[in-house]
Amino acid sequence: MTVVRPRKANFTWQDMHETVSRFIAEDDVFQHGFLKAIFLYHTTDNQGYVESPFKLSAYGNINEVVFASPGYHSRGPIVQASLDGDVPEGPYFLAVGTGALYQAFRLYPDHQLAFTEAAVSDGDGGFRPLPAVTEGAMTKAVAVPSRLYFTLSPDKPLAGLRLGIKDIFDLAGLRTSGGNRAFYNLYPPRNTTAPAIQRLIDAGAIVVGKMGTVQFANGDNPTADWVDFHCPFNPRGDGYQSPGGSSSGPASGIASYEWLDIAVGSDTGGSMRNPAGLQGIYGNRPSTGAVTMEGVLPLCDVLDTAGVFARDAGTLSTVLHAWYQDSERAYKGYPRRLFYSNTSFPDNTTEAGALLEEVVSGIEGFLRVRREVVDTPSRWEETHPSGAPSNITELLNTTYALLTSVHQYKNLALPFFTDYAAEHDGRHPYINPGPRVRWAWGQENGGDTGYEMALRNKTIFKDWWESQGYGVHNEDTCSEGIYIYPYSTGKTHYRDVYTSAPPEPPMGFKDGRIATMAGVPDVVVPVGEVSYASTVSLRTEYMPVTMSLVAARGCDLMLASLGRNLEKAGILKAVGTGSRMYD
């Protein structure tokens, strides 16, 4: 049955035609089969008139019966009826015996293995797993509700946006796996939803399932290290490139499925930005502390953040304004300086370099500034604090590795090992190579003492970045400038390459480490795609080129608004799903 809420008192066959056309254009769940019965929901104070149902049928609809609220009358046969509550328009299933209405969902196949578990609401503020499969190898089904059920409003700015969640965030009624089968089976379904996710739900977003993650949000290679779960697929190019990590599933879903609007992941050392770069979508790492990480499996509490993937800057901005509202800093205009990292950008004569140059020039024109070529390691060498090493890599080389490996071992691994042993006669759970090596390395290289040293080094860099570096706050523009660097340049990363066992956690310093150590926002934006000769398809395929925009700490919403306006100006573009970013 289809519920229609006419916008005027008199309803004609032409109104019905326009309504059906609107439903088809706006919604992927509605189809003509739901017109077998129509309910006209009277929403005006005046008496309503319905044109003969026979004329409605004559227009080409297949309705057998027209129900109408008591406020309607007609010359033809209509059935006077009422609905309980304020029922949104859209497609429903009607139980003839009881008169109960049930919302309609459409099942989509997860052929990219982006999801670990599909979910639907339990009707009581939580969720339950959706035990459905569709035709296809290893393919589960994901259920999405009709878009017609939801209406945007000031308190529901995300109404109806379909949302996937990285499987390290708790959802009430569902288990959390962290990409580990033993962890999933050991602990019961969660009783509460992570507050950060609940805020999105309260703003109107609709959770449709949990999505794949590198085990415990570390960094794994698809072939060598993904043991407990299969690595999600990156749809770009030949379809056999690495999806990046650790928020692999959320990025894969956004790059693959038009029916999924947004997806939440985490970023500690690049887990949002790396998948966004390799899959050519929008993705952000926020200022540290922009949203609470309560109810989220930890990698390192002083570095962990939660971000969003989207296919356009406008949607990303809308979500971030609803999500990071507590961390907003006032500003009157956009920054008047553009810091261009001279150590990262490829030559403009290359295909990727030309694409990046076009966007950088566009940003210069939009901001009405000229880029300032900067070198962060040299700036550090010239202005570093007294007592700190003059080489920035010497300061930060092991900082990230120690912070993450020691903290996660102490706060996740040890409790997990203890709980698992208690339930399994002293046995030890299986751990993928990535986290196993990282945890061992952390204990062998200082443990808690090494962690405290790393935390001091991180603080030294953060304080310097905010005072002598390129992350200075400005009262008028929030951030003194925008720091830009390329995130991906179209290089291939085939997922079937066998690699040796990881010897240690990530080391060193690069532009991508700035946001991690300084706690500042970093947004990856797509700028284009470059060709390559695929060894899989034996054809010319295309891989994404992306760039990062970095601002001062707390300037997330300024950066989000800038992205939206750059898109409106045609400098940035929305991307599509599948092999190619653009049609």
Side-chain angles (χ1 to χ4, degrees):
M1 185 174 82
T2 297
V3 173
V4 178
R5 298 171 69 103
R7 289 158 168 74
K8 56 185 181 180
N10 296 331
F11 192 74
T12 68
W13 68 268
Q14 181 63 33
D15 296 323
M16 187 67 195
H17 163 62
E18 293 174 357
T19 298
V20 171
S21 297
R22 176 170 60 86
F23 284 6
I24 292 293
E26 295 178 1
D27 188 35
D28 55 347
V29 176
F30 178 82
Q31 54 184 277
H32 285 92
F34 286 103
L35 295 171
K36 194 169 185 179
I38 300 171
F39 190 102
L40 301 179
Y41 199 118
H42 189 60
T43 58
T44 65
D45 295 331
N46 300 324
Q47 186 79 6
Y49 172 77
V50 180
E51 192 167 15
S52 169
F54 296 111
K55 287 191 176 182
L56 297 181
S57 297
Y59 186 75
N61 300 322
I62 58 174
N63 53 289
E64 296 179 358
V65 60
V66 175
F67 298 98
S69 298
Y72 277 119
H73 69 278
S74 174
R75 294 179 181 177
I78 61 173
V79 178
Q80 297 284 341
S82 298
L83 295 177
D84 293 334
D86 188 17
V87 180
E89 63 183 4
Y92 293 86
F93 292 100
L94 172 65
V96 177
T98 64
L101 282 185
Y102 298 93
Q103 289 189 345
F105 289 75
R106 179 170 178 172
L107 294 179
Y108 279 106
D110 177 29
H111 52 80
Q112 295 292 93
L113 307 186
F115 286 81
T116 55
E117 191 167 52
V120 292
S121 171
D122 65 2
D124 193 30
F127 302 89
R128 54 187 174 87
L130 177 72
V133 296
T134 53
E135 185 176 356
M138 297 193 298
T139 300
K140 64 181 70 67
V142 180
V144 299
S146 169
R147 297 188 185 278
L148 300 172
Y149 300 151
F150 310 101
T151 302
L152 292 174
S153 65
D155 62 334
K156 298 288 184 183
L158 310 183
L161 286 183
R162 297 162 180 172
L163 167 66
I165 305 295
K166 184 178 182 178
D167 197 5
I168 64 170
F169 292 81
D170 288 347
L171 288 175
L174 300 183
R175 297 173 186 262
T176 299
S177 80
N180 182 283
R181 294 192 303 159
F183 193 94
Y184 178 91
N185 291 317
L186 178 64
Y187 297 109
R190 298 303 201 245
N191 293 321
T192 58
T193 293
I197 303 304
Q198 189 61 52
R199 172 172 282 188
L200 294 174
I201 295 170
D202 292 343
I206 306 300
V207 172
V208 298
K210 286 196 159 191
M211 309 189 77
T213 174
V214 172
Q215 194 166 93
F216 300 128
N218 285 272
D220 286 351
N221 292 306
T223 295
D225 304 329
W226 282 75
V227 178
D228 257 3
F229 286 75
H230 201 77
C231 179
F233 284 87
N234 178 353
R236 304 306 189 192
D238 53 36
Y240 282 85
Q241 301 298 315
S242 170
S246 63
S247 303
S248 313
S252 173
I254 294 301
S256 301
Y257 305 140
E258 289 186 4
W259 48 265
L260 185 67
D261 300 313
I262 54 174
V264 164
S266 67
D267 190 305
T268 304
S271 291
M272 284 291 302
R273 293 164 289 161
N274 188 34
L278 293 181
Q279 301 196 52
I281 55 178
Y282 291 84
N284 78 298
R285 176 200 166 88
S287 299
T288 305
V291 290
T292 174
M293 297 300 285
E294 178 187 349
V296 186
L297 298 185
L299 184 52
C300 178
D301 61 352
V302 298
L303 303 178
D304 292 342
T305 64
V308 175
F309 294 112
R311 287 184 293 274
D312 65 273
T315 298
L316 181 67
S317 179
T318 297
V319 176
L320 298 190
H321 276 80
W323 207 17
Y324 301 154
Q325 53 189 274
D326 294 341
S327 62
E328 182 176 8
R329 268 183 162 177
Y331 63 95
K332 300 175 183 177
Y334 291 128
R336 304 295 298 167
R337 302 180 72 181
L338 186 65
F339 303 125
Y340 179 95
S341 175
N342 75 332
T343 60
S344 301
F345 280 91
D347 190 276
N348 293 348
T349 60
T350 66
E351 194 175 2
L355 289 170
L356 289 161
E357 175 60 26
E358 181 180 358
V359 172
V360 172
S361 296
I363 296 174
E364 285 181 314
F366 182 86
L367 295 177
R368 298 181 181 180
V369 300
R370 297 293 297 273
R371 77 192 75 177
E372 301 174 39
V373 179
V374 299
D375 185 321
T376 297
S378 296
R379 176 71 175 171
W380 168 267
E381 186 176 358
E382 296 167 358
T383 63
H384 66 276
S386 175
S390 60
N391 187 304
I392 196 170
T393 299
E394 183 180 344
L395 176 79
L396 297 177
N397 186 42
T398 61
T399 299
Y400 176 80
L402 283 165
L403 289 174
T404 54
S405 60
V406 174
H407 185 275
Q408 190 172 67
Y409 179 74
K410 184 176 182 179
N411 293 278
L412 187 150
L414 288 181
F416 175 35
F417 295 162
T418 300
D419 294 344
Y420 189 88
E423 291 291 325
H424 295 87
D425 194 27
R427 289 180 171 83
H428 194 278
Y430 178 79
I431 303 297
N432 278 1
R436 187 168 68 233
V437 166
R438 293 184 184 204
W439 295 343
W441 183 93
Q443 296 309 299
E444 294 165 359
N445 286 271
D448 289 344
T449 301
Y451 178 91
E452 293 301 324
M453 178 193 70
L455 186 59
R456 287 195 298 271
N457 289 345
K458 174 198 174 300
T459 303
I460 289 171
F461 177 80
K462 172 182 171 294
D463 292 344
W464 171 83
W465 184 257
E466 294 180 344
S467 58
Q468 300 296 322
Y470 303 108
V472 178
H473 178 253
N474 183 286
E475 290 187 3
D476 292 329
T477 60
C478 192
S479 181
E480 183 71 21
I482 304 294
Y483 185 95
I484 58 175
Y485 68 96
Y487 208 92
S488 63
T489 56
K491 295 180 180 179
T492 57
H493 300 270
Y494 288 97
R495 65 182 285 141
D496 62 351
V497 174
Y498 288 95
T499 60
S500 58
E504 59 190 15
M507 303 286 184
F509 173 80
K510 57 182 180 179
D511 279 327
R513 278 283 179 263
I514 292 171
T516 298
M517 294 300 158
V520 299
D522 184 337
V523 179
V524 172
V525 300
V527 303
E529 53 189 5
V530 297
S531 61
Y532 72 100
S534 170
T535 61
V536 174
S537 67
L538 305 182
R539 293 289 188 271
T540 297
E541 306 284 2
Y542 296 84
M543 284 296 289
V545 177
T546 62
M547 186 173 73
S548 266
L549 310 178
V550 182
R553 186 164 55 92
C555 297
D556 302 74
L557 301 189
M558 179 277 291
L559 207 53
S561 295
L562 175 61
R564 181 198 295 270
N565 287 328
L566 289 174
E567 186 174 71
K568 287 181 178 179
I571 298 166
L572 299 179
K573 299 177 182 178
V575 299
T577 57
S579 176
R580 299 292 300 271
M581 293 164 58
Y582 309 106
D583 295 334

